Amino acid sequence: MRFFLPAPRRAAAVALLAACCAASMAAQAQKAPSARSVKTVAGSTPYATRDDAMRFADEVAERRGLDREWVRATIGSARFLPNVPRLMLPGPAGTVKNWQAYRSRFIDATRIAAGVRFWRNNAGTLARAEAMYGVPAEIIVGIVGVETIYGRNMGSFRVIDALATLSFDFPQAHPRAAEREAFFRGELESFLSTESRTADNPLLPVGSYAGAMGMPQFMPSSIAKYAVDFDGDGRIDLVDNPADVIGSVANYFKAFGWTPGMPATYPVHFEEARLKKALLLAPDILPSFSTDSFVAAGAVPEGEGLRHKGLLALIELQNGADAPPTYVAGTRNFYVITRYNWSSYYAMSVLDLGQEVKAAMEP
């Protein structure tokens, strides 16, 4: 995702998109002229033929003050991706999670080595981001590594196709279908608003099947709110500019309340005689217990955790059906990491990868 900060004129882009939209009615979805492949669907119907999509385009144009024909042409050129709705459905009921299996997907020798290269190549920028935003280098390195292996795997779906599919054809079998559909329509609107300020073709950006983009896999609304021009070159580039990636991730965490110097987790052990595990797990990952009330319920943070000043959460990580769960005490900073991806397993992977890379950096 790249965009210049000044707003250019749109006339030529509108004409180009209108032509693309008309052509797409009889052809396959256009592929981006990029080294990265783009997933398209031969013969799928473009959204130009959908009344609901065109009504939404008109609403967005009016709400955002955008060129109506440009918005209609952009959405109209999007194509339905039949595999994407299935990817949004939750796993079968009763599936037991496995933290060790999940962790192994993100922490291995290849990813750690890539993280060391990323850190060494951008050490000054990481230090500057930590000084400015208070977010440690290992957290930023962990995020970018888990998300895309430091830019190696940024996704290959046209963003316009993914967002249109999830906006207008979100699977109704999902337990929160209406909420999620509204979310993706908001992301599509944000994408259009940002793209309207560029001189680029909005049909070209590629990303994940959910519409996330660049090395940090920001959704369009996160780009609009949190992406920063960290090297001061007059544009924001989350695809090829590690400085902007590092600054944007750090800014994201600061915006969600990262507290400098606070550990994200503490080891914890249980005093079984007074353990009230159900009570402790009820708030899930939201820190809700003072250290004293945490201990009173039978969960005892170890080391510095006993002197923690803020609230704590008991984090449970299942290890399949045949092994006991792993537990840690999570702080507000752990919760902040889950604002990037609402999963305790994800947050622990970010922490562990960052620590593994940091350890590998040491002589």
Side-chain angles (χ1 to χ4, degrees):
M1 182 68 179
R2 312 171 182 85
F3 57 91
F4 290 96
L5 301 184
R9 289 178 294 182
R10 305 294 311 162
V14 172
L16 173 62
L17 277 168
C20 288
C21 184
S24 71
M25 298 291 289
Q28 291 184 357
Q30 176 182 336
K31 290 187 178 181
S34 166
R36 304 182 184 96
S37 62
V38 180
K39 295 188 183 300
T40 57
V41 182
S44 59
T45 303
Y47 281 97
T49 63
R50 290 273 296 268
D51 290 342
D52 57 341
M54 292 299 97
R55 283 195 302 272
F56 179 76
D58 292 343
E59 292 167 2
V60 169
E62 181 175 359
R63 200 159 42 234
R64 296 277 183 160
L66 304 179
D67 183 284
R68 177 176 178 270
E69 293 308 314
W70 179 83
V71 177
R72 288 175 67 91
T74 303
I75 293 180
S77 296
R79 286 181 174 265
F80 171 65
L81 302 178
N83 291 331
V84 166
R86 289 196 290 272
L87 294 171
M88 285 290 154
L89 292 173
T95 301
V96 179
K97 296 179 180 179
N98 190 319
W99 160 233
Q100 293 303 322
Y102 185 98
R103 184 185 188 278
S104 68
R105 292 164 49 195
F106 300 105
I107 292 114
D108 56 27
T110 298
R111 207 175 297 241
I112 292 168
V116 168
R117 289 192 296 272
F118 182 84
W119 195 327
R120 287 177 176 162
N121 290 339
N122 300 284
T125 304
L126 285 162
R128 183 162 64 92
E130 183 168 354
M132 182 177 296
Y133 297 108
V135 182
E138 60 265 29
I139 299 297
I140 300 170
V141 169
I143 285 286
V144 182
V146 167
E147 288 292 339
T148 63
I149 319 180
Y150 308 98
R152 185 178 302 179
N153 182 15
M154 293 187 280
S156 57
F157 294 83
R158 285 203 320 179
V159 172
I160 189 64
D161 295 334
L163 293 177
T165 296
L166 295 171
S167 293
F168 308 117
D169 289 291
F170 195 87
Q172 295 306 297
H174 193 285
R176 295 185 293 124
E179 177 187 341
R180 299 302 290 161
E181 180 181 280
F183 168 80
F184 283 108
R185 288 195 178 199
E187 294 300 328
L188 176 57
E189 181 169 339
S190 184
F191 174 75
L192 292 166
S193 180
T194 297
E195 288 295 308
S196 73
R197 301 194 299 274
T198 79
D200 297 328
N201 185 341
L203 307 185
L204 298 186
V206 295
S208 75
Y209 65 83
M213 291 172 276
M215 276 193 244
Q217 291 290 277
F218 271 20
M219 292 298 289
S221 64
S222 292
I223 292 172
K225 294 175 185 175
Y226 310 115
V228 297
D229 174 20
F230 202 52
D231 64 355
D233 68 352
R235 65 174 187 162
I236 297 172
D237 180 357
L238 300 184
V239 173
D240 295 312
N241 189 334
D244 290 352
V245 172
I246 290 166
S248 297
V249 171
N251 185 47
Y252 185 99
F253 280 119
K254 181 179 179 181
F256 278 90
W258 182 271
T259 302
M262 176 189 289
T265 65
Y266 297 108
V268 64
H269 69 268
F270 296 143
E271 294 185 353
E272 296 291 342
R274 56 179 175 174
L275 180 61
K276 299 177 182 176
K277 190 182 291 185
L279 172 68
L280 291 167
L281 291 175
D284 196 16
I285 56 179
L286 179 66
S288 304
F289 301 94
S290 68
T291 301
D292 287 346
S293 62
F294 205 66
V295 172
V300 183
E302 298 176 2
E304 292 298 317
L306 279 174
R307 290 179 287 278
H308 182 71
K309 301 298 184 183
L311 299 178
L312 295 170
L314 180 62
I315 308 300
E316 179 183 74
L317 303 167
Q318 297 177 9
N319 287 307
D322 301 320
T326 297
Y327 294 95
V328 296
T331 71
R332 172 70 187 180
N333 277 354
F334 185 87
Y335 184 75
V336 170
I337 298 173
T338 67
R339 300 310 85 194
Y340 209 100
N341 182 315
W342 291 22
S343 163
S344 55
Y345 297 80
Y346 173 89
M348 284 299 298
S349 293
V350 168
L351 291 167
D352 281 6
L353 178 59
Q355 287 300 324
E356 292 282 356
V357 174
K358 184 176 183 179
M361 291 279 294
E362 297 174 356

